[in-house]
Structures are given as structure tokens and as C-alpha cells.
Amino acid sequence: IGQFKAPFSLEEMDSSKYITFMERGSNAIFVPGRRIGVGIENQIGRHTYAISLVGDSAEDNAGDEGLGVSARFTTSPQFSEHRFAHFGLGINYEEPSQTGSDGSTRFRAHPESHVTSTRLVDGGTIADVSSLTRAGLEAAYASGGFTAQAEYMTVSVNAADIDANYDGFYAYASYFPWGGYRPYKNGVFGRVKANNTWEFALRYSTLDLTDTNGGRMDNITFGVNYYVNPYLRIMANYIVSDVKDGVNGDEDPSIFQMRVSFDFK
């Protein structure tokens, strides 16, 4: 019981300290934010389930609370100690508060870099939303230092004047050529086990907001991480975006960014 992120996505369930790239895939804009609610989760063998009933966030003091339910189910066939697959399904249904924000919603995205405040695609504000229905499929495969991961998400918005449908996905692969691996437990990846080693990664993502003339964005991200130890790493990402009919029409910006990441246990 408390304020938490409703279970929905593999990448979102991982702590930001553990994800391979500096930013999550662009379809993360579809993931429900933190809400006040009650939830239950459990593991049965190599299967997990999590279900939550939520209201609004702690910052929202509107009179009408709004209501949502979210669930996530995973299974992970294991072939050996460090070789396994992962499959998951996430669903979410939400009836937003009709006070304060007037029941409105909006989906827009950065070019997978939050160093800039610029949004390249924007589906616009949809008012008088009666419900949002989200669904997500996730899959991963790991073998030693190699990991492949992908997620597809879709959201349907039902409103007084319009019904809109958006979707997006990402897929990536990463590899530790000189030792290191991503541990996995209970349906999520954990802190990388690596010391004085490198990780190389490549991700492709797409986000489609064309249903309300918000544009489409495709991103390719090249990532290189150097792990001094599991708590200290140096990250570099090079992102190439291809935007069609976005906020500024067609454009293809590129971004290079670096981060030194240090955290405590």
C-alpha cells in the first residue's frame, strides 16, 4: 500500500540504475506513472504475477480521485544457470480524474535524451477522456554476457470528441565481450555483475502518434558502458532520430551524450 509505479513493463520495472542505456525507449511514455494504491505480487516457480488498484498521484489533490487497475504476468524458461528466456504481458485500464486536469491526457516524447527539453513528436492534448486502455508485450533472452530484449506497447484513448490509438516498440541487444552479465530474478533484471569491463549495445525504437497528427519517430541508439564495478560506470550514447510529420515537420537530429553513474547499494 502506498505510492508506486503500477506493474506494466519490463524496462520500467528495472531500476534506472540497472538499465543498459541512459534513457528508456521512447514507448516508455505509455507506461502509467506513480500512483497511490494497493497491490499484490507473487512468484510461483519461474512465473510471476502482479496486480494493483490505483488512484491518482500524491501531488494530485483534485476532488475526483480517478481509478485504474494494472496487471503484469511473466514466465521465464531457464536452460542453464546464465541462459534463459523471458516473456511477459502487461495490461492497464484507467478512468482519469474529471476534475483538476479536466480528464485530459497527452502523449509526447523527447528523442530518447532528456538533456534536451525539446519534444519531437506530440499527439496533442485530448480533453474529456473517459478511459485509457494500455497493453504491452515483452520478451528477452540472455546467455552469459549477451542479452536481447524487446517490448511492444499500445494505448487506446476514449474521449468525448475523439478515440485515438498509439503504439511503439523497442528492441535491443547488448554484449559483454570480456566478462560481465545481467542477473535476473522474479521477472526483472538486476544490477549488472561486472568489474573493469565493457558493454556494447544497440537499440532500435519507434513511436507512432500519427492517429492525432503527432508524427512518428524512429531512433537508433549506440551505447558503450565501462563498468569500474557494479556501482560505478561510465556511459556513452549516440542517438540518431528520424522524425516524420513531427512538431517541426520532418527532421533527423543526432545526439551524443555521456554520464558517470555512481550509486549506493
Side-chain angles (χ1 to χ4, degrees), residues 6-263:
F8 183 74
S9 157
L10 173 61
E11 194 175 47
E12 285 291 331
M13 294 298 289
D14 288 345
S15 167
S16 60
K17 297 180 291 187
Y18 305 157
I19 62 175
T20 299
F21 297 91
M22 292 174 61
E23 304 292 349
R24 291 177 169 84
S26 56
N27 59 355
I29 65 170
F30 297 144
V31 177
R34 291 187 176 274
R35 299 286 193 271
I36 296 175
V38 58
I40 182 174
E41 60 182 51
N42 195 19
Q43 177 186 11
I44 303 174
R46 295 191 64 81
H47 315 290
T48 73
Y49 68 85
I51 303 172
S52 62
L53 181 66
V54 298
D56 288 328
S57 66
E59 292 76 20
D60 194 338
N61 57 6
D64 179 19
E65 178 69 6
L67 184 67
V69 61
S70 189
R72 178 173 178 260
F73 307 91
T74 74
T75 185
S76 54
Q78 185 169 9
F79 312 111
S80 63
E81 182 180 2
H82 297 303
R83 181 170 171 259
F84 58 88
H86 165 97
F87 302 98
L89 167 67
I91 53 177
N92 170 268
Y93 176 80
E94 180 180 353
E95 294 181 353
S97 167
Q98 296 299 313
T99 58
S101 61
D102 297 323
S104 65
T105 191
R106 183 179 188 179
F107 293 101
R108 53 183 180 166
H110 300 88
E112 293 183 351
S113 170
H114 288 189
V115 173
T116 175
S117 60
T118 301
R119 267 88 168 187
L120 300 185
V121 289
D122 186 347
T125 299
I126 301 177
D128 298 321
V129 175
S130 59
S131 67
L132 296 95
T133 304
R134 300 173 172 91
L137 294 173
E138 57 192 59
Y141 172 79
S143 179
F146 173 79
T147 302
Q149 180 173 316
E151 291 193 76
Y152 170 80
M153 299 179 193
T154 181
V155 58
S156 296
V157 182
N158 296 315
D161 298 324
I162 189 174
D163 289 341
N165 295 281
Y166 308 123
D167 68 350
F169 76 89
Y170 73 82
Y172 80 79
S174 74
Y175 184 55
F176 294 88
W178 300 293
Y181 67 95
R182 300 176 70 200
Y184 173 93
K185 184 178 180 181
N186 298 344
V188 295
F189 285 100
R191 185 187 299 275
V192 166
K193 302 295 184 181
N195 287 281
N196 188 29
T197 194
W198 295 84
E199 178 186 23
F200 300 92
L202 177 65
R203 178 175 67 194
Y204 171 77
S205 69
T206 184
L207 181 66
D208 189 345
L209 305 181
T210 56
D211 208 26
T212 53
N213 301 315
R216 177 189 174 100
M217 177 171 65
D218 299 296
N219 294 313
I220 296 176
T221 302
F222 304 90
V224 178
N225 299 323
Y226 174 69
Y227 290 83
V228 179
N229 56 53
Y231 303 93
L232 175 61
R233 61 177 171 170
I234 301 170
M235 311 177 71
N237 284 180
Y238 180 66
I239 306 145
V240 179
S241 291
D242 181 19
V243 179
K244 300 297 184 184
D245 300 318
V247 175
N248 301 307
D250 295 349
E251 55 183 330
D252 54 353
S254 58
I255 299 168
F256 177 76
Q257 58 188 24
M258 296 185 68
R259 176 186 297 163
V260 177
S261 173
F262 176 69
D263 68 272

